[in-house]
Amino acid sequence: MEKRKILVTRPQLPPLNEFIPLLADIWESRWLTNNGKYHQEFEKALAAYLGVPYVCLFANGTLALMAALQCLHIKGEVITTPYSFVASTHALWWNGIKPVFVDIEPGFCNLDPKRIEAAITPETTAILPVHVYGNPCEVDAIQNLADIYGLKVIYDAAHAFGVRQNGSSILNFGDLSIVSFHATKVFNTIEGGAIICHDQKTKRRIDYLKNFGIANETTVVAPGINAKMNELQAAYGLLQLKYFDTVIDARQHITNKYREGLKHIAGIRVLEEMETVDHNYAYFPIFIDVLEFGHSRDDVFEALKKENIFGRRYFYPLISEFPTYRGLASAKNLDIAHEISRQVICLPLYPDLPDEVVDTILSLLRNMAQIQKKKVSVKVLRQSHRK
Ligand code: T4K
């Protein structure tokens, strides 16, 4: 019998028996979308849970990002990271904005604030950093630059649902933040997303923008888009929220198991826990140093595949390597992002991932390291023999 495929993630669903009565209610009401009661309730529940002032629900994170840029009238050039999912930069492209790539810092793979200033031109209007893997960017340094140069900051926080720094939601930083509730995310509404904003007026404008710019039956205030979340997904999201804390506990357990098991393997780096941060354990990336580990990231990827385990190379290739972007001047000189992108593989991580699978992955990596150790000691032995 073929072994079950283990994928990098597996969506968490709410109990079906709790969803059915909500579906029955929606069937009865015939109110399916356009700011229905579940949509309103979900927005409030999310704001309370996350500890943020206002949440504007969206059909997905990409549309939320596109609308966030529209909301703030961002034009010209925007400084961003090449080390992310393509949607981060595509949202700029769809708004006719030129992305300017700046290299990342190696510690957490986020946009390096120390390199931003050199990339600012008279055309620069905003910075679009990404909290990669849910690890907070250096928000104070970024805000400081934005204040000096009069730039807006929009965070792509697609990975950062539930993350807190010094007890406060990471979504409270910048002018706006967007999150994704895609099936592959820590918190999912199948497809979905949101913009987090700080005041009622901005929320009102965003709500117009996601509903064709309609203010009332006879008034259209902006060239908006249709990016609304429907009632079924909002009701589903309300249930997901009830169970989110247990999801995080389960993810933390698996993360700790990986961390412990990888501690003494030379040539494999994992990301540190940040002391001041409550993490959401969204991803478990490891970084392979081919010289030290003796095998490349792709060797690991293939070896896992042989065991029917499918890691993912998030984020390889870099966004700046795709045809749309590779001709940009800023697509060059991204040495750290290139290096990291060649080293990374995200290991499977989801709440019901069995411990035995984690053990299999760990022993596979240990065995690969063992082979390398043997090779090295044979080489040393041969060299000392020759002397
Ligand atoms: N900004 C950032 C930084 C992002 O990472 C993303 C999305 C966005 C913006 C945009 O947000 P959204 O518009 O998506 O809300 C996946 C997701 O599709 C994408 O949402 C996510 N980032 C990205 C990092 O990962 P793929 O191309 O890797 O998806 P796919 O279909 O290969 O699925 C990944 C794994 O999950 C597979 O092993 C299969 C498994 N899977 C997937 C789905 C959809 C399941 O087991 N069940 C499922 O239902 O992009």
Side-chain angles (χ1 to χ4, degrees):
M1 207 173 67
E2 212 203 343
K3 270 197 246 166
R4 194 177 115 194
K5 262 190 181 176
I6 300 292
L7 304 175
V8 71
T9 190
R10 191 160 181 256
Q12 185 73 10
L13 280 87
L16 186 57
N17 62 345
E18 290 188 38
F19 191 36
I20 289 170
L22 303 184
L23 288 177
D25 185 41
I26 294 169
W27 252 242
E28 179 64 26
S29 74
R30 303 288 173 109
W31 195 275
L32 305 183
T33 185
N34 289 13
N35 200 26
K37 76 168 183 189
Y38 287 108
H39 185 284
Q40 291 175 34
E41 198 184 326
F42 187 33
E43 281 193 340
K44 288 200 184 97
L46 278 174
Y49 181 83
L50 294 169
V52 299
Y54 296 99
V55 172
C56 312
L57 288 173
F58 272 78
N60 60 61
T62 308
L63 284 165
L65 194 50
M66 285 164 60
L69 293 160
Q70 281 280 321
C71 172
L72 299 180
H73 295 289
I74 305 298
K75 305 227 173 352
E77 295 179 1
V78 169
I79 291 171
T80 191
T81 171
Y83 191 80
S84 180
F85 187 61
V86 281
S88 308
T89 311
H90 282 352
L92 295 171
W93 203 260
W94 275 72
N95 275 293
I97 298 163
K98 183 175 167 187
V100 175
F101 296 113
V102 162
D103 211 350
I104 58 173
E105 44 77 25
F108 293 98
C109 312
N110 288 328
L111 187 64
D112 186 348
K114 288 191 289 304
R115 296 171 192 265
I116 291 176
E117 201 160 15
I120 296 174
T121 75
E123 302 301 312
T124 312
T125 55
I127 308 170
L128 172 47
V130 180
H131 299 300
V132 179
Y133 309 127
N135 287 316
C137 294
E138 291 178 48
V139 287
D140 293 336
I142 291 171
Q143 193 57 52
N144 188 37
L145 281 168
D147 291 343
I148 292 171
Y149 287 93
L151 306 175
K152 299 285 186 198
V153 181
I154 299 177
Y155 280 105
D156 179 341
H159 302 174
F161 184 92
V163 173
R164 289 170 174 268
Q165 189 163 39
N166 296 316
S168 168
S169 172
I170 198 65
L171 306 173
N172 283 323
F173 291 90
D175 294 280
L176 297 172
S177 290
I178 72 98
V179 275
S180 166
F181 306 149
H182 182 259
T184 56
K185 296 289 185 279
V186 273
F187 178 86
N188 85 79
T189 58
I190 307 171
E191 291 272 2
I195 300 181
I196 311 305
C197 66
H198 308 303
D199 62 89
Q200 176 69 51
K201 277 189 192 158
T202 308
K203 172 160 173 54
R204 193 176 59 183
R205 178 163 161 74
I206 293 168
D207 287 346
Y208 291 157
L209 281 173
K210 75 179 189 196
N211 186 29
F212 312 100
I214 294 174
N216 61 46
E217 261 183 58
T218 53
T219 318
V220 172
V221 295
I225 199 162
N226 182 1
K228 290 163 279 148
M229 180 182 280
N230 66 55
E231 283 292 271
L232 278 74
Q233 286 173 265
Y236 173 105
L238 275 167
L239 287 181
Q240 292 285 61
L241 208 46
K242 259 175 69 177
Y243 296 97
F244 187 64
D245 287 344
T246 58
V247 165
I248 293 299
D249 290 347
R251 285 178 166 276
Q252 184 176 19
H253 163 76
I254 294 155
T255 302
N256 288 345
K257 205 167 153 52
Y258 274 136
R259 279 181 185 284
E260 194 52 38
L262 294 171
K263 245 183 194 165
H264 303 297
I265 304 188
I268 295 188
R269 177 171 83 98
V270 304
L271 297 182
E272 301 291 318
E273 292 250 346
M274 291 176 169
E275 249 178 44
T276 54
V277 172
D278 298 318
H279 291 276
N280 66 2
Y281 309 99
Y283 295 86
F284 195 81
I286 59 170
F287 303 87
I288 312 283
D289 179 328
V290 61
L291 293 179
E292 230 184 313
F293 188 60
H295 309 269
S296 69
R297 179 274 312 274
D298 289 339
D299 293 339
V300 172
F301 181 68
E302 294 301 330
L304 286 169
K305 253 169 55 180
K306 283 199 187 120
E307 297 295 320
N308 234 2
I309 296 168
F310 294 81
R312 286 297 288 263
R313 289 162 290 188
Y314 295 132
F315 292 101
Y316 165 85
L318 296 177
I319 302 176
S320 49
E321 292 178 276
F322 293 123
T324 320
Y325 306 112
R326 66 184 171 211
L328 294 170
S330 65
K332 293 167 190 69
N333 304 324
L334 301 166
D335 297 348
I336 295 171
H338 273 288
E339 180 64 13
I340 299 264
S341 155
R342 277 194 292 266
Q343 293 184 339
V344 70
I345 177 166
C346 289
L347 299 179
L349 173 56
Y350 48 87
D352 48 356
L353 179 68
D355 277 359
E356 306 81 72
V357 175
V358 178
D359 290 334
T360 304
I361 295 170
L362 290 172
S363 50
L364 181 143
L365 292 169
R366 263 186 234 116
N367 287 341
M368 289 180 94
Q370 248 355 83
I371 294 168
Q372 164 66 356
K373 246 192 203 162
K374 271 188 202 147
K375 274 194 212 155
V376 171
S377 36
V378 169
K379 210 169 148 192
V380 171
L381 217 70
R382 276 200 195 125
Q383 277 166 354
S384 61
H385 212 67
R386 272 191 221 122
K387 277 178 197 164

